[in-house]
C-alpha cells in the first residue's frame, strides 16, 4: 500500500495516465502554436497601393509562427473585384489553387488580365511542412492607375 492508502499499482497507473494526459495536452498546445499565419500583404512593396502602373503587379506577404524553423511549402492566392466575394470563398479575378513553392516575395500576378482603374481585393493562405494550411489572410487591395 502507498502511504495514502491507495494500492501501489493503482497509484502507478494513475501517475502514468496523468503523465500521458499532460504530454498529450502539451503536444496539442505546441501544434496549435506552430501554425503559420500570413500578414503584411504587399503589392509592389506597398500596403494597399492606389494608382500603380503595373498591369502584372507582384505580390508579397510575411509569414508568422511561434515555432522555430517554420516555413511555407505552398501557397494559394485568390483575388476578386469585390471584397465580399472573398468572404464567401469566391474569386473572379484569380484563384491560383495550391502552388508548391516557398516564394512569398514579389510573386507575379497570374490572374485575369488587369486594366486601367481596376481595383483588386486579394488574400493568401500557405501550407507548412506537415502540409497543414493556414487560415486565409486578411483581405488586402490595390488599384491600377490610368
Amino acid at each position: 500500500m502507498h502511504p495514502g492508502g491507495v494500492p501501489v499499482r493503482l497509484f502507478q497507473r494513475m501517475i502514468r495516465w496523468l503523465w500521458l494526459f499532460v504530454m498529450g495536452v502539451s503536444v496539442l498546445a505546441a501544434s496549435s502554436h506552430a501554425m503559420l499565419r500570413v500578414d503584411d500583404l504587399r503589392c509592389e512593396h506597398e500596403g494597399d497601393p492606389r494608382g500603380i502602373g503595373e498591369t502584372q503587379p507582384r505580390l508579397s506577404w510575411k509569414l508568422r509562427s511561434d515555432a522555430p524553423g517554420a516555413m511555407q511549402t505552398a501557397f494559394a492566392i485568390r483575388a476578386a473585384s469585390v471584397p465580399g466575394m472573398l468572404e464567401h470563398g469566391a474569386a473572379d479575378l484569380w484563384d491560383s489553387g495550391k502552388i508548391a513553392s516557398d516564394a512569398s516575395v514579389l510573386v507575379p500576378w497570374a490572374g485575369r488580365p488587369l486594366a486601367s482603374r481596376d481595383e483588386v481585393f486579394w488574400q493568401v493562405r500557405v501550407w507548412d511542412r506537415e502540409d497543414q494550411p493556414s487560415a486565409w489572410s486578411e483581405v488586402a487591395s490595390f488599384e491600377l492607375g490610368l
Side-chain angles (χ1 to χ4, degrees), residues 4-124:
V6 178
V8 172
R9 285 192 179 187
L10 180 58
F11 180 76
Q12 289 172 334
R13 284 186 193 158
M14 289 169 49
I15 294 297
R16 188 176 307 131
W17 280 107
L18 179 61
W19 183 81
L20 289 171
F21 175 77
V22 169
M23 292 306 295
V25 169
S26 297
V27 167
L28 288 175
S31 67
S32 68
H33 290 296
M35 289 184 63
L36 286 176
R37 297 176 304 281
V38 181
D39 69 1
D40 197 22
L41 276 62
R42 301 277 178 174
C43 175
E44 293 298 324
H45 301 288
E46 295 183 41
D48 298 331
R50 301 287 172 243
I52 63 171
E54 298 292 327
T55 57
Q56 290 188 300
R58 298 166 300 167
L59 309 175
S60 302
W61 55 89
K62 290 185 180 173
L63 306 173
R64 303 282 187 228
S65 177
D66 298 332
M71 66 177 285
Q72 165 190 316
T73 59
F75 69 85
I77 298 172
R78 61 185 182 190
S81 56
V82 178
M85 292 180 75
L86 297 176
E87 294 170 11
H88 299 291
D92 63 337
L93 299 178
W94 186 18
D95 187 346
S96 71
K98 183 179 177 182
I99 297 173
S101 171
D102 64 352
S104 63
V105 177
L106 301 175
V107 174
W109 176 265
R112 191 186 90 200
L114 300 173
S116 174
R117 304 289 295 175
D118 276 352
E119 189 169 17
V120 176
F121 300 90
W122 64 287
Q123 60 187 169
V124 180

